[in-house]
Amino acid sequence: QLQLVESGGGLVQAGGSLTLSCAASGRTFTNYAMGWFRQAPGKEREFVAAIRRTGSFTNYADSVKGRFTISRDNAKNTVYLQMNSLKPEDTAVYYCAARFLGGISRSKDDYNYWGQGTQVTVSS
């Protein structure tokens, strides 16, 4: 089993920044493409960003492109989501996810492991 633990969520004003971290353990981290998803109350879980196993390629939802940056440190078994220019509509529980030996995917069904989520609340 691959364990994923998110941290870094919190309450921030609109226009502010937060950095989420997701620490992985239990399996070889470089075997997994990583993604961030989010789920707002009453809504479906949606794709935010993903990064290839080597970190050489990333992909973003249009709603966060230019504001969010996904990165990974394979030496620390950690993936990050830097979130800038936050908006109230970014409020959600943010989840990291891992996809075994796969490429980047925007589909939550392609991911094998999930963290427990971290709450991000952006006030207007």
Side-chain angles (χ1 to χ4, degrees):
Q1 289 278 1
L2 181 73
Q3 287 82 42
L4 301 173
V5 179
E6 301 99 333
S7 61
L11 174 64
V12 64
Q13 288 189 331
S17 298
L18 279 175
T19 299
L20 305 183
S21 300
C22 174
S25 62
R27 288 291 186 268
T28 303
F29 185 59
T30 52
N31 283 342
Y32 296 86
M34 300 298 296
W36 285 97
F37 290 76
R38 66 187 182 186
Q39 188 167 16
K43 294 189 175 181
E44 293 284 324
R45 191 169 299 189
E46 65 175 5
F47 170 77
V48 175
I51 188 166
R52 192 174 279 180
R53 286 180 280 158
T54 60
S56 59
F57 187 77
T58 57
N59 191 254
Y60 296 92
D62 288 345
S63 59
V64 306
K65 199 173 295 183
R67 300 188 298 122
F68 290 11
T69 302
I70 187 172
S71 62
R72 65 190 293 162
D73 185 337
N74 286 342
K76 295 183 178 180
N77 292 351
T78 302
V79 62
Y80 304 96
L81 186 68
Q82 172 69 43
M83 305 185 294
N84 298 326
S85 302
L86 282 161
K87 304 175 181 180
E89 51 263 43
D90 294 318
T91 295
V93 177
Y94 282 71
Y95 298 89
C96 73
R99 185 185 188 204
F100 182 61
L101 293 182
I104 284 178
S105 174
R106 291 179 168 229
S107 172
K108 60 183 183 295
D109 295 333
D110 288 337
Y111 289 81
N112 308 102
Y113 297 100
W114 293 83
Q116 82 288 349
T118 186
Q119 176 70 47
V120 172
T121 303
V122 184
S123 63
S124 56

